[in-house]
Amino acid sequence: MFTLSDAITLATAAHDGQVDKSGRPYIGHPLRVMASVEGEHAQMAAVLHDVIEDTPVTADDLTARGCPAEVVDAVVALSHLPEEPQDVYLRRVAANPLAVIVKRADIADNLSPARMARLDDETQARLEIKYATALRLLAQFVS
């Protein structure tokens, strides 16, 4: 049986060596997102939310390890494809209730004052616009 501990172990290994925009270990972001949501499946999806998008891990890999189908579906929905328009991506997220919970927590972590303070002014401004747009579209598509 795939557990939250298994999801954390998988995400930690998958993101090993990756750093965020401020140079800190990337795994901190998925762990913070995980800590901000409730429920085992939401926490699994949160800690795994970037593994398909940013690592060699695939949906088939998650399934083969016994990850629950609901979690795999949410992680797939949360995986922004290369060159995919933001509105298309967010419509897919909006169609999956678990993905919506994780995406909102993901954006909240990305916009946290502590995280933003470590970025230069230009990056802060760009990300504030990006995430405000994402929240607006997500709200529009979920309603």
Side-chain angles (χ1 to χ4, degrees), residues 2 83 87:
F2 191 86
E83 307 301 319
D87 65 320

Side-chain angles (χ1 to χ4, degrees), residues 6-83:
D6 295 327
I8 293 167
T9 299
L10 193 158
T12 301
H15 291 296
D16 186 48
Q18 294 179 342
V19 295
D20 65 16
K21 290 175 180 65
S22 68
R24 294 176 180 243
Y26 189 79
I27 190 61
H29 168 65
L31 290 171
R32 287 188 305 273
V33 175
M34 177 194 74
S36 72
V37 298
E38 294 182 8
E40 187 175 35
H41 283 184
Q43 289 176 329
M44 285 180 185
V47 78
L48 295 169
H49 81 272
D50 281 333
V51 297
I52 292 175
E53 183 177 328
D54 294 338
T55 80
V57 174
T58 66
D60 288 342
D61 294 333
L62 295 176
T63 300
R65 289 176 183 247
C67 188
E70 178 186 15
V71 174
V72 175
D73 290 346
V75 175
V76 168
L78 289 159
S79 299
H80 197 164
L81 304 172
E83 307 301 319

